[in-house]
Amino acid sequence: MNLASANLAPTIYVDPANGGLPPLWFVTPEGFFALPLAATPKERVEGASSFVRQLYSRGDDSIWELAAPYYAAIVELMADSGLSYAAMGLFSTAEDGGTTDGEVTRYEPSAGVAQCALTVAITPTDQTVPDPDIVAQGVLAALSSDPYNNAIWLDLPCGPAVSCITLREYTVSPDVSASGEGTKLLTGQIQVHIPFSTGPFTAIFTLYTASMDHWAELYRLMSTVLQTVSFSDPVEEDAEKSLDSASGEG
């Protein structure tokens, strides 16, 4: 799909509260393919099979059967990483975006693709009082101590947060470069720390990409995701608002 017209998918991702972690809700645009970070190895293998069918939707069994074990192995390595969510983002960079009869226009990969990875981790925060402002101030101070970090304060609908942008340049050896010559690879990372308002935890959203020609669009995409973060069930909140509105009208 076109990066500039990425639509928010209706799915809301919730951490299953494994290991006593609190739930977290957020919405990702269409184009993100979530890796199956399930609780058991069997569920992860089954999830990998479903994942490759979504990722390579135009493929067939010959592709899916080869790819599934690869992604199952990746998920297995990530199982103990503390991540609550991990996804690959693939977006068409074709310039003529838009819709046809209400449907999102699809493009061939040969028209250009921007790639990124999005992960979410929930970590305990060492604090006696769950005050998001105090936690965010501490994170901002810690990140700002590194002169290579571009750390800024954010006011999100769910509360205060701290964003840190990091750019790194790597040298790609001739053995693995497309041209057969040594080259430089610039990558960008956006990491956002969001203290929970419901307890001593912090959510860490990280978007990583080497598609730096489309950095501005990916930055806006990450900003859109952050606007949807919630520490309480948005569906229940909407229901309560509807009830309150109905009661007020009565």
Side-chain angles (χ1 to χ4, degrees):
M1 68 169 301
N2 189 268
L3 178 59
S5 61
N7 295 322
L8 283 176
T11 305
I12 297 177
Y13 298 96
V14 184
D15 181 81
N18 289 333
L21 296 176
L24 178 71
W25 287 260
F26 60 97
V27 184
T28 58
E30 182 184 1
F32 277 108
F33 300 88
L35 288 160
L37 300 180
T40 67
K42 180 180 178 181
E43 290 174 321
R44 291 193 285 269
V45 170
E46 293 174 348
S49 179
S50 174
F51 171 78
V52 296
R53 282 166 168 76
Q54 297 177 49
L55 184 63
Y56 305 111
S57 59
R58 298 184 184 182
D60 53 31
D61 287 338
S62 64
I63 295 176
W64 299 330
E65 290 176 2
L66 287 174
Y70 170 77
Y71 287 104
I74 290 178
V75 173
E76 201 63 33
L77 291 173
M78 299 174 68
D80 297 324
S81 64
L83 294 177
S84 297
Y85 174 86
M88 295 174 57
L90 300 175
F91 305 96
S92 170
T93 58
E95 295 182 359
D96 55 337
T99 61
T100 302
D101 297 329
E103 296 293 328
V104 176
T105 304
R106 304 292 173 176
Y107 298 90
E108 293 293 334
S110 58
V113 175
Q115 303 180 47
C116 66
L118 176 65
T119 63
V120 180
I122 298 175
T123 62
T125 304
D126 185 14
Q127 62 189 100
T128 56
V129 178
D131 188 328
D133 284 285
I134 293 177
V135 177
Q137 289 169 11
V139 172
L140 180 61
L143 293 175
S144 298
S145 64
D146 187 336
Y148 292 101
N149 286 339
N150 180 14
I152 60 173
W153 182 279
L154 298 178
D155 287 310
L156 300 177
C158 65
V162 177
S163 172
C164 183
I165 294 176
T166 307
L167 302 181
R168 288 190 172 89
E169 187 177 75
Y170 298 91
T171 299
V172 180
S173 74
D175 296 338
V176 296
S177 69
S179 64
E181 300 178 356
T183 185
K184 301 291 185 180
L185 176 66
L186 182 65
T187 66
Q189 175 182 284
I190 307 168
Q191 189 169 83
V192 181
H193 299 248
I194 310 176
F196 276 68
S197 59
T198 56
F201 295 89
T202 296
I204 303 175
F205 285 69
T206 304
L207 185 145
Y208 179 86
T209 184
S211 299
M212 296 303 292
D213 289 344
H214 303 281
W215 173 257
E217 294 96 325
L218 290 170
Y219 182 91
R220 287 194 292 269
L221 185 149
M222 179 67 156
S223 299
T224 300
V225 172
L226 295 174
Q227 293 296 314
T228 71
V229 175
S230 176
F231 301 120
S232 57
D233 190 340
V235 175
E236 293 182 1
E237 287 185 347
D238 289 342
E240 290 178 2
K241 289 179 182 179
S242 297
L243 288 174
D244 291 342
S245 177
S247 298
E249 292 175 358

